Amino acid sequence: MPGMVLFGRRWAFASDDLVFPGVFELLVRVLWWVGILMLYLMHRGKLDCPGGVLLSSYLIVLLVLLAVIIGTVSAIVCVSMKGTICNPGPRKSMSKLLYVRLALFLPEMVWASLGAAWITGGVQCDRTVGSGVIATVVVSWLIIASTVLTILIVFDPLGGKAAPGAPLGPQPLDSRESSQLLSGLRTAATGVWETRVRLLCCCVGRDDHTRVAFSSTAELFSTYFSDTDLVPSDIAAGLALLHQQQDHARSSPEPTEVVTHSPGPFQEADLDAELENCHHYMQFAAAAYGWPLYVYRNPFTGLCRVGGDCCRPRTADYDLVGGDQLDCHLSSILQTTGLQHRDFIHVSFHDKVYELPFLVALDHKKESVVVAVRGTMSLQDILTDLSAESEPLNLECEVQDCWAHKGISQAARYVYRRLVNDGILSQAFSIAPEYRLVIVGHSLGAGAAALLALMLKSPYPRVRCYAFSPPRGLLSKSLYEYSKTFIVSLVLGKDVIPRLSVTNLEDLKRRILRVIAHCNKPKYKILLRGCWYELFGGSPEDLPTELDGGDLTQPLLGEHSLLAHGSPAYSFSSESPLNSPTKYPPLYPPGRIIHLEEEGASGRCSCYPAARYTVRWSHESEFSRILIGPKMLTDHMPDILMRVLDHVVSDRAACVSCPARGGSSVDLA
């Protein structure tokens, strides 16, 4: 950090990013040089053949050229190791070395072309020499091709906007010229991100919803990344440092503020009842994923159990709408829930942007009509997730300030229209009028289920919702408080999704900027130690950072970036574009939250039977910061959540008097 400026434009790599690729190239070049030297010394007496003089000259010049390249790459590696992430001063000669290195590609390409021409021009020499020359030509072109590919990868489409001729001092934010520049650059950034998203999602349709999702996603990315000059390796180093900092704070003997209090007998009984309900309804949330999740959970028997139904035509009373391999999906749903065909009112695997698959079934065990909404499983679902701006909700209640995540809100409205306008719920309650309505979902489906429950609260006052691993950035504060009376959320461990919101991502960015700005070790050492720490653990006390410090004393952004100088974040102020009260206000998770929290240090792998969990009610403030750890993604997987729930519920049922410290400890043995 900042990104390198070469040929008058910024590139998506920093001057300290060349250690590992440089060492790899050095290894290849040195082995190559030694091989060519041995080839020449061992076979130079056999080069008196027709054309042998050319080959001898080719090998000698190639040895000299490789020696120069090895020296240049060695200098690049040595310079790249100097300094720290936010102190590129010791690496100021890097641009000149890169110019020299790139210039050496010209004679290398010429010599590789001549070698290819000579060896194919009928040179009749020793076969070993000919094969060796062919190998050198092939290796030369492979390295040249890999370099071209690397240049394409690190090419920044907006790099031309950060020309060296840009003024080096911060521009006043009220300047008309600065405002116009900032607006133009943000528009360009949004266009670049939209092009990237369209290319990534080229197989997704081009309807109105998709175009809106593309624009929303592009605007989110451009707004989030427009005020920093971070390169990908800076983010990786920052995450590694934050994980160690986080573990260091946890192991610190200093007292911490206690957020929760020990529950009374009524709360503990309520916790047991709701945990048992979560265990029961999680089966429906998992069933909504269809056969892929079922086969993943049962890798040896899943295909055998559902395979026979995949190609078998079936007529039944339920409706199947959209999607492929519908009978495979239904077979897995039956296996997961244990219900019969007649218990299903509607099953839909229609999947588009803002339109989620869902199922409606009669659960006779709990006497409920269950609506299960599927979570993220497709690019369309990801676009729904990334439509993160807020929009108002029109609810038939007295709650003020009703705002919600736009993409999830649109998906919930789609399911609402299907349930109400198509008469699906009316059909279900005509069969079982005494049953209550229960809405469930996991991940994206959990967010849609929570909003759907809010929409159906007025016509169905007894509605309940169980949201498994819901996204944090879902509801406004007032809706969050209102949802506590009929929505229960379940969160496992360090799951990142219940902590994921636009404001939390902004907080994560600030923490990354702060921790790398106070770093006193070069980036390559941070990354090496970070990889070792993630794989094998270690003492978090040996942090390669100076964590004690006040405000940042050096700029966090590139000196050649107009975006940086026109951005409020250049001075590290709290006025960030992402904190706009209209587009990205703070949002909260739904309902009361049950947290299955792993005791002690988090393991390096998903060995859940050896883990010990505390089950307790938690406040939303405990999920106001993204935690870094090896299980931050695996804790979100529905199969892992189901496995942990199985152990927790069975052990709590067998426990006569469990110790309570804000909850109950359960040993998953």
Side-chain angles (χ1 to χ4, degrees), residues 282 285 289 373-375 440-446 468-469 636-638 641:
M282 182 62 201
Y289 282 97
V373 187
R374 197 191 74 181
V440 303
H442 173 266
S443 187
L444 169 62
F468 303 97
S469 306
H636 185 68
M637 300 299 293
L641 181 56

Side-chain angles (χ1 to χ4, degrees), residues 309-358:
D309 295 326
C310 290
C311 302
R312 183 185 307 165
R314 187 192 307 275
T315 58
D317 294 334
Y318 54 84
D319 299 323
L320 288 177
V321 181
D324 298 326
Q325 302 167 334
L326 300 178
D327 288 305
C328 292
H329 287 306
L330 183 67
S331 179
S332 67
I333 291 172
L334 297 177
Q335 294 283 348
T336 302
T337 61
L339 300 182
Q340 304 297 320
H341 296 96
R342 62 178 179 271
D343 297 326
F344 286 89
I345 305 300
H346 185 87
V347 179
S348 170
F349 282 93
H350 170 78
D351 188 13
K352 294 179 66 177
V353 177
Y354 302 155
E355 298 177 4
L356 298 178
F358 67 97

Side-chain angles (χ1 to χ4, degrees), residues 334-643:
L334 297 177
Q335 294 283 348
T336 302
T337 61
L339 300 182
Q340 304 297 320
H341 296 96
R342 62 178 179 271
D343 297 326
F344 286 89
I345 305 300
H346 185 87
V347 179
S348 170
F349 282 93
H350 170 78
D351 188 13
K352 294 179 66 177
V353 177
Y354 302 155
E355 298 177 4
L356 298 178
F358 67 97
L359 61 88
V360 181
L362 299 177
D363 178 21
H364 303 294
K365 180 178 179 180
K366 292 287 187 178
E367 295 187 345
S368 58
V369 174
V370 180
V371 178
V373 187
R374 197 191 74 181
T376 302
M377 272 198 71
S378 66
L379 288 175
Q380 292 93 326
D381 299 335
I382 294 175
L383 290 173
T384 301
D385 286 315
L386 293 176
S387 298
E389 61 263 40
S390 299
E391 68 174 15
L393 283 180
N394 296 321
L395 301 176
E396 298 180 9
C397 62
E398 298 180 355
V399 178
Q400 302 296 323
D401 188 27
C402 296
W403 292 81
H405 183 289
K406 175 185 174 180
I408 303 178
S409 173
Q410 294 287 337
R413 284 194 180 96
Y414 162 76
V415 180
Y416 176 87
R417 290 193 298 269
R418 296 293 311 280
L419 293 176
V420 176
N421 297 346
D422 294 356
I424 297 174
L425 285 183
S426 299
Q427 179 184 354
F429 283 104
S430 67
I431 300 174
E434 72 283 5
Y435 284 12
R436 73 184 307 172
L437 177 62
V438 176
I439 307 174
V440 303
H442 173 266
S443 187
L444 169 62
L451 292 178
L452 184 60
L454 288 168
M455 297 174 184
L456 292 171
K457 177 64 174 174
S458 180
Y460 298 93
R462 298 174 59 208
V463 65
R464 297 284 295 178
C465 175
Y466 292 93
F468 303 97
S469 306
R472 174 177 176 83
L474 186 66
L475 304 174
S476 60
K477 184 70 171 180
S478 57
L479 278 180
Y480 156 69
E481 296 292 344
Y482 175 66
S483 68
K484 287 182 178 180
T485 59
F486 58 97
I487 297 178
V488 173
S489 294
L490 182 73
V491 178
L492 174 62
K494 293 182 179 179
D495 187 353
V496 66
I497 300 302
R499 297 173 170 86
L500 193 63
S501 67
V502 175
T503 50
N504 279 12
L505 282 173
E506 176 73 1
D507 171 73
L508 178 64
K509 180 174 67 175
R510 294 180 184 278
R511 288 158 58 201
I512 289 176
L513 291 171
R514 178 172 281 109
V515 75
I516 65 177
H518 289 100
C519 175
N520 60 4
K521 294 291 174 65
K523 187 190 298 182
Y524 78 95
K525 289 186 178 181
I526 298 172
L527 294 176
L528 285 175
R529 172 170 172 77
C531 291
W532 181 270
Y533 187 78
E534 293 299 330
L535 292 174
F536 306 107
S539 173
E541 296 179 358
D542 301 329
L543 283 169
T545 54
E546 296 173 351
L547 296 177
D548 297 330
D551 295 333
L552 302 181
T553 58
Q554 49 188 314
L556 296 173
L557 311 175
E559 293 181 347
H560 302 288
S561 173
L562 287 177
L563 272 178
H565 297 305
S567 168
Y570 183 81
S571 59
F572 208 71
S573 72
S574 60
E575 298 177 0
S576 169
L578 289 179
N579 290 334
S580 169
T582 55
K583 201 170 191 64
Y584 300 109
L587 297 178
Y588 301 85
R592 296 183 297 163
I593 304 173
I594 298 176
H595 190 198
L596 306 179
E597 184 177 14
E598 185 176 354
E599 293 185 350
S602 179
R604 302 288 148 186
C605 61
S606 301
C607 302
Y608 286 91
R612 183 177 177 84
Y613 282 84
T614 296
V615 185
R616 60 185 176 88
W617 292 110
S618 296
H619 191 264
E620 61 82 16
S621 60
E622 298 182 48
F623 305 93
S624 60
R625 173 165 287 193
I626 295 174
L627 300 180
I628 310 300
K631 291 185 178 179
M632 61 186 295
L633 297 179
T634 57
D635 278 345
H636 185 68
M637 300 299 293
D639 61 309
I640 300 295
L641 181 56
M642 293 178 72
R643 190 189 314 166

Side-chain angles (χ1 to χ4, degrees), residues 22-348:
V23 169
F24 178 75
E25 184 179 358
L26 271 180
L27 178 63
V28 174
R29 296 282 185 178
V30 169
L31 292 177
W32 184 11
W33 188 85
V34 171
I36 295 174
L37 180 63
M38 293 179 61
L39 177 69
Y40 178 75
L41 293 178
M42 294 174 61
H43 297 278
R44 59 182 176 179
K46 302 177 183 180
L47 295 176
D48 54 354
C49 54
V53 177
L54 290 177
L55 291 184
S56 177
S57 302
Y58 172 80
L59 293 177
I60 293 174
V61 174
L62 185 60
L63 285 171
V64 175
L65 182 60
L66 282 178
V68 175
I69 292 175
I70 289 173
T72 305
V73 175
S74 299
I76 290 174
V77 171
C78 291
V79 172
S80 187
M81 288 180 173
K82 296 180 180 179
T84 61
I85 298 178
C86 287
N87 181 24
R91 303 188 298 273
K92 60 184 178 181
S93 61
M94 180 61 71
S95 58
K96 297 178 181 178
L97 289 173
L98 287 178
Y99 286 135
V100 173
R101 177 65 190 93
L102 291 173
L104 289 173
F105 274 110
L106 181 60
E108 187 176 11
M109 292 177 62
V110 171
W111 213 240
S113 302
L114 290 176
W118 290 337
I119 202 64
T120 58
V123 175
Q124 300 176 357
C125 287
D126 184 78
R127 184 174 181 179
T128 304
V129 177
S131 300
V133 174
I134 292 175
T136 61
V137 171
V138 170
V139 173
S140 296
W141 283 110
L142 285 177
I143 292 179
I144 293 171
S146 63
T147 303
V148 172
L149 179 62
T150 303
I151 291 175
L152 293 176
I153 291 174
V154 300
F155 177 78
D156 183 359
L158 294 173
K161 306 294 182 181
L168 296 179
Q171 300 295 309
L173 292 180
D174 56 352
S175 167
R176 177 179 302 179
E177 182 180 358
S178 177
S179 300
Q180 291 176 348
L181 285 172
L182 184 61
S183 176
L185 289 173
R186 285 181 177 165
T187 301
T190 302
V192 168
W193 277 108
E194 185 164 354
T195 301
R196 291 171 175 171
V197 173
R198 288 181 183 276
L199 289 175
L200 182 64
C201 304
C202 58
C203 58
V204 180
R206 291 293 186 270
D207 56 16
D208 292 339
H209 283 171
T210 305
R211 286 189 287 270
V212 171
F214 284 158
S215 299
S216 298
T217 303
E219 188 167 357
L220 175 65
F221 285 152
S222 63
T223 304
Y224 187 75
F225 291 108
S226 65
D227 60 351
T228 60
D229 197 9
L230 293 175
V231 297
S233 60
D234 294 335
I235 298 175
L239 292 176
L241 292 173
L242 283 179
H243 184 202
Q244 297 171 58
Q245 181 187 30
Q246 172 186 299
D247 289 352
H248 176 73
R250 182 184 294 108
S251 61
S252 175
E254 297 180 0
T256 56
E257 181 182 358
V258 178
V259 179
T260 59
H261 61 278
S262 299
F266 174 78
Q267 290 176 301
E268 185 66 23
D270 185 43
L271 177 61
D272 283 330
E274 294 294 6
L275 188 64
E276 196 280 328
N277 286 334
C278 288
H279 178 249
H280 176 77
Y281 288 115
M282 182 62 201
Q283 309 297 321
F284 291 89
Y289 282 97
W291 69 265
L293 178 60
Y294 181 79
V295 173
Y296 177 76
R297 291 181 58 214
N298 304 276
F300 300 108
T301 60
L303 284 176
C304 297
R305 292 178 180 176
V306 304
D309 295 326
C310 290
C311 302
R312 183 185 307 165
R314 187 192 307 275
T315 58
D317 294 334
Y318 54 84
D319 299 323
L320 288 177
V321 181
D324 298 326
Q325 302 167 334
L326 300 178
D327 288 305
C328 292
H329 287 306
L330 183 67
S331 179
S332 67
I333 291 172
L334 297 177
Q335 294 283 348
T336 302
T337 61
L339 300 182
Q340 304 297 320
H341 296 96
R342 62 178 179 271
D343 297 326
F344 286 89
I345 305 300
H346 185 87
V347 179
S348 170

